Amino acid sequence: MINSYNELFEKNKKWVAATTQENPDFFTNLANGQSPKFLWIGCSDSRVPANEITGTQPGDIFVHRNIANMVIHTDMSMLSVLDYSVNVLGVQHIIVCGHYGCGGVLTAMGHKQVGLIDNWLRHIKDVYRLHQNELNAITDLKKRSDRLVELNVHEQVHDLAKTSIVQNAWANGQQLQVHGIVYDIKNGILNDLNVTVDNTGGMDDVYRFELPKVSEQV
Ligand code: CO
């Protein structure tokens, strides 16, 4: 546990020294650019850092994090990250990563007002409503919240597939898979939810876009 602001810079110096010792070209190589294969959409929770839990390095994963790993289709920040990573960086995998014990999901299951965030968490209440029969049948509240974490990830995977950004990438033959996974804070294990999509096949028809005609692509 770190409490002091200055300690961040001390730790940074040690990290630079250790990293350079192991690979003298590490920072020179990274300074030349990035070509990550993965976009990670995860929770802001301090216990779920993308690189550390996947054992990856700077340069490996393009990251967007917000409370409860949400894909809200009016969120300019998420859309900009998505567009840039798919159309400029050419990522091949988008990963939505939820985690058990997510404070956002737990709050969304309850009735307490927390503040501005109530409006953000409304989207999780909508996921609950979609699956309320299944969720209400789970009497153990811990198990119910775990299931909502999984269902919420699954819903965000579909919400990514509904975007014109992802659908156009597929229509243009770009290799792009959207995955849903859950991190277990208690043991550090990542579990694939097996909800990967790479086409519009299973999508409700109303969400499916036609590919814009070439003449319209100005
Ligand atoms: Co969380």
Side-chain angles (χ1 to χ4, degrees):
M1 190 70 179
I2 175 169
N3 292 309
S4 133
Y5 176 66
N6 289 334
E7 218 178 319
L8 294 175
F9 298 93
E10 290 160 21
K11 283 189 172 292
N12 169 255
K13 281 198 193 80
K14 283 183 194 153
W15 173 71
V16 170
T19 305
T20 313
Q21 194 177 17
E22 198 177 309
N23 178 0
D25 299 325
F26 185 81
F27 294 104
T28 317
N29 290 341
L30 282 182
N32 287 331
Q34 61 170 337
S35 54
K37 298 283 180 290
F38 304 91
L39 165 62
W40 175 279
I41 298 179
C43 184
S44 297
D45 193 304
S46 61
R47 300 165 296 177
V48 196
N51 280 132
E52 282 88 340
I53 66 177
T54 54
T56 52
Q57 295 291 321
D60 287 334
I61 306 183
F62 202 66
V63 173
H64 178 78
R65 290 169 72 180
N66 61 38
I67 289 172
N69 41 270
M70 301 299 287
V71 175
I72 313 291
H73 63 276
T74 51
D75 176 1
M76 280 301 291
S77 176
M78 181 280 296
L79 289 171
S80 302
V81 168
L82 179 64
D83 186 48
Y84 185 76
S85 61
V86 169
N87 289 321
V88 180
L89 296 175
V91 296
Q92 295 176 354
H93 302 272
I94 305 175
I95 296 164
V96 178
C97 179
H99 67 101
Y100 297 125
C102 182
V105 171
L106 293 171
T107 305
M109 279 178 70
H111 303 280
K112 242 202 206 134
Q113 283 190 39
V114 181
L116 177 71
I117 194 179
D118 297 332
N119 300 285
W120 184 257
L121 298 180
R122 247 285 299 283
H123 296 282
I124 306 177
K125 288 182 185 285
D126 292 340
V127 176
Y128 193 106
R129 180 173 53 83
L130 276 173
H131 301 278
Q132 57 186 324
N133 290 342
E134 177 186 346
L135 289 165
N136 288 339
I138 305 172
T139 47
D140 183 298
L141 284 184
K142 166 84 177 62
K143 288 198 178 114
R144 189 188 292 179
S145 69
D146 285 354
R147 184 62 185 142
L148 181 54
V149 164
E150 295 170 358
L151 290 169
N152 187 47
V153 167
H154 195 176
E155 195 66 26
Q156 308 317 304
V157 167
H158 287 309
D159 286 341
L160 282 165
K162 290 171 192 166
T163 64
S164 54
I165 298 165
V166 168
Q167 288 190 35
N168 285 342
W170 286 337
N172 290 325
Q174 214 169 312
Q175 192 192 326
L176 182 66
Q177 293 187 316
V178 186
H179 312 275
I181 67 178
V182 173
Y183 179 68
D184 193 334
I185 284 178
K186 293 196 302 300
N187 58 21
I189 301 292
L190 278 175
N191 291 304
D192 191 321
L193 290 176
N194 294 313
V195 295
T196 299
V197 285
D198 61 4
N199 62 71
T200 57
M203 184 178 291
D204 286 327
D205 191 57
V206 73
Y207 295 114
R208 204 172 294 133
F209 288 118
E210 286 175 359
L211 184 64
K213 292 195 185 78
V214 175
S215 58
E216 289 168 7
Q217 289 178 332
V218 285

